[in-house]
């Protein structure tokens, strides 16, 4: 399986899971009804996304003022769900809309004039870096477990 960190559009990252190699696994996946295959892949990538989300929440809480950022971090399926490729998007929204501003830093502009600069406070990328290996391992085990259940029927 291949996994990658892809900076997301808003304040997020995408965790991609794609089944590669292992001709027997790919052949068996192709033989499964598409809805079962997609459901398993979606569940598994969301499980991996939750691991990264929890670390992102811990990171956000280290600089907690209101708790809005940590409370607004979520994991959802991306629109890229085709065949053996599924994407989970980990991002902040709602009251944590400012998450991207913290992640990359920003200028403070008043009436068109830059009056200051806020340095970056990365909370999401470090979460991905710290937890991607654990997420990958958990996702691999869960995918193997679910496929074994189906293939034993």
């Amino acid at each position: 399986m291949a996994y990658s960190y892809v900076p997301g559009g808003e304040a997020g990252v995408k965790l991609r899971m794609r089944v590669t190699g292992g001709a027997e696994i790919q052949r068996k996946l192709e033989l499964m009804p598409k809805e079962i295959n997609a459901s398993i892949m979606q569940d598994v990538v969301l499980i991996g996304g939750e691991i990264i989300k929890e670390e992102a929440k811990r990171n956000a809480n280290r600089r907690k003022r209101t708790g809005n950022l940590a409370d607004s971090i979520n994991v959802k399926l991306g629109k890229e769900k085709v065949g053996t490729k599924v994407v989970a998007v980990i991002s902040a929204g709602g009251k944590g809309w400012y998450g991207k501003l913290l992640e990359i830093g920003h200028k403070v502009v008043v009436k068109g004039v830059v009056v200051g600069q806020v340095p970056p406070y990365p909370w999401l990328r470090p979460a991905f870096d710290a937890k991607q290996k654990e997420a990958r391992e958990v996702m691999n085990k869960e995918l193997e477990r679910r496929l074994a259940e189906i293939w034993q029927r």
Side-chain angles (χ1 to χ4, degrees):
M1 278 186 260
Y3 304 87
S4 61
Y5 167 91
V6 180
E10 293 302 309
V13 295
K14 295 178 182 178
L15 177 64
R16 289 186 176 160
M17 182 178 105
R18 174 180 275 170
V19 176
T20 58
E24 182 180 347
I25 291 175
Q26 283 192 303
R27 183 181 62 77
K28 287 183 176 182
L29 280 172
E30 289 168 3
L31 293 174
M32 291 170 55
K34 288 193 185 305
E35 59 277 359
I36 294 173
N37 181 354
S39 174
I40 291 171
M41 298 279 289
Q42 291 169 0
D43 290 349
V44 168
V45 79
L46 289 172
I47 288 169
E50 286 292 327
I51 292 169
I52 294 168
K53 174 185 124 177
E54 291 306 314
E55 183 69 12
K57 283 184 161 197
R58 281 188 286 278
N59 291 346
N61 277 328
R62 287 190 185 112
R63 190 170 175 174
K64 181 178 175 178
R65 291 197 178 146
T66 64
N68 288 338
L69 176 58
D71 291 344
S72 72
I73 299 170
N74 61 61
V75 179
K76 60 185 175 189
L77 289 173
K79 294 179 182 174
E80 306 167 46
K81 305 177 266 207
V82 181
T84 58
K85 177 181 168 185
V86 178
V87 177
V89 178
I90 303 129
S91 62
K95 290 184 178 182
W97 61 268
Y98 55 88
K100 184 174 185 176
L101 298 175
L102 285 177
E103 182 78 16
I104 61 174
H106 61 283
K107 294 178 181 177
V108 178
V109 180
V110 177
K111 295 184 180 180
V113 177
V114 176
V115 295
Q117 177 128 0
V118 178
Y121 177 74
W123 53 274
L124 189 52
R125 176 62 192 242
F128 181 85
D129 291 344
K131 292 296 184 172
Q132 69 174 321
K133 183 177 179 184
E134 179 184 343
R136 181 182 320 122
E137 290 169 359
V138 168
M139 290 166 65
N140 283 339
K141 286 179 185 174
E142 184 64 16
L143 181 62
E144 288 173 12
R145 185 187 72 74
R146 290 191 184 206
L147 292 177
E149 282 179 6
I150 290 171
W151 294 336
Q152 289 176 3
R153 292 181 191 165

